[in-house]
Amino acid sequence: MAHRPLIAPSILSADFARLGDEIQAVAGDGDTRADWVHVDVMDAHFVPNLTLGLPVVQSLLKATDLPLDCHLMIDDPDRWAIGYAEAGAYNVTVHAEAATDPVKIAKDLRAAGAKAGLSVKPGTPLEDHLDTLKHYDTLLVMSVEPGFGGQSFIAEVLDKVRAARRLVETGHLNVLVEIDGGINADTIEQAAEAGVDCFVAGSAVYGAEDPGKAVAALRDLAVHAQR
Ligand code: DX5
Ligand code: ZN
């Protein structure tokens, strides 16, 4: 049984000129409050899109007390990930496809006080990274090809979620399972049933009239689907 589902709105779908206010929209009290804020860092090399980097994250850390979940879609995370942990990000996720020494990255992230996350693209098998994952706190299963918000959910990746959930339940892994891409009111229940703990949602939150209400509605769907 997974724990209380966590909702992590992705600011990729927010208004970049008003990021502080956009985070405040999901930082209210009670059910409308996000659990984490998901920050997509893209370098136009690992993915064909460019977003923001460490200076923006440093400013966001001053603007909110919500935990920042930094998803690094960048080449050479061995060099760059540590800065996000040292800045105070709650969870720093690197891509398995981009990391040269992911075990060292995890150790360094943890030593800097952050949780360490490992992400796999839709076509990347979990089996190749199981030993590495023993050093990590979160597993981010991509349910779209990384790079852009608003894409359609790839349901096939739920096999990886189920496999990870089984490994957690049998004590072979100790990670929180996170999913990212195409999560909305139509897809969150199947992801929750498969065993996801943390749901990233960009367009489903920031494309909504009231982002806080969207957070509450998504969490509610996940809670009921888990049972
Ligand atoms: C895509 C990013 C996602 C993105 C999800 O590469 O990693 O976090 O913001 O957006 P939606 O929820 O719209 O698919
Ligand atoms: Zn992301």
Side-chain angles (χ1 to χ4, degrees):
M1 182 69 194
H3 22 86
R4 174 185 183 268
L6 305 175
I7 305 296
S10 166
I11 57 168
L12 182 62
S13 294
D15 179 350
F16 271 36
R18 305 172 39 250
L19 284 180
D21 293 342
E22 293 278 66
I23 291 177
Q24 283 314 305
V26 296
D29 286 332
D31 290 352
T32 60
R33 185 176 176 85
D35 298 286
W36 301 353
V37 172
H38 186 82
V39 182
D40 289 303
V41 176
M42 305 188 190
D43 67 351
H45 287 266
F46 180 72
V47 289
N49 196 3
L50 182 67
T51 53
L52 53 84
L54 186 55
V56 175
V57 168
Q58 287 167 329
S59 293
L60 294 178
L61 283 162
K62 287 185 220 149
T64 182
D65 52 7
L66 283 172
L68 294 195
D69 176 33
C70 293
H71 177 194
L72 307 187
M73 286 161 276
I74 59 172
D75 280 344
D76 204 6
D78 300 72
R79 174 170 173 193
W80 300 111
I82 187 68
Y84 294 83
E86 287 170 349
Y90 176 75
N91 181 67
V92 180
T93 291
V94 300
H95 265 270
E97 303 86 358
T100 303
D101 189 347
V103 172
K104 180 174 188 302
I105 294 176
K107 286 181 178 161
D108 290 349
L109 292 173
R110 285 171 161 184
K115 297 208 180 294
L118 192 71
S119 183
V120 285
K121 298 205 279 185
T124 301
L126 202 55
E127 299 84 67
D128 300 357
H129 302 287
L130 289 180
D131 286 336
T132 302
L133 270 174
K134 293 195 163 60
H135 300 268
Y136 277 81
D137 304 292
T138 60
L139 164 66
L140 178 60
V141 176
M142 288 305 300
S143 40
V144 297
E145 288 301 331
F148 300 93
Q151 303 181 76
S152 300
F153 184 69
I154 301 171
E156 286 72 26
V157 306
L158 292 180
D159 286 340
K160 281 189 272 190
V161 170
R162 288 185 200 98
R165 172 61 40 207
R166 258 193 307 275
L167 289 166
V168 169
E169 262 157 27
T170 54
H172 293 89
L173 265 189
N174 187 16
V175 290
L176 188 147
V177 182
E178 186 176 5
I179 197 160
D180 183 7
I183 292 294
N184 56 41
D186 295 328
T187 57
I188 194 167
E189 291 163 299
Q190 48 182 305
E193 281 165 15
V196 170
D197 302 294
C198 180
F199 304 82
V200 176
S203 46
V205 170
Y206 283 108
E209 185 95 31
D210 183 333
K213 275 190 189 156
V215 166
L218 287 170
R219 194 188 291 104
D220 201 51
L221 287 168
V223 166
H224 287 96
Q226 269 184 351
R227 296 205 177 113

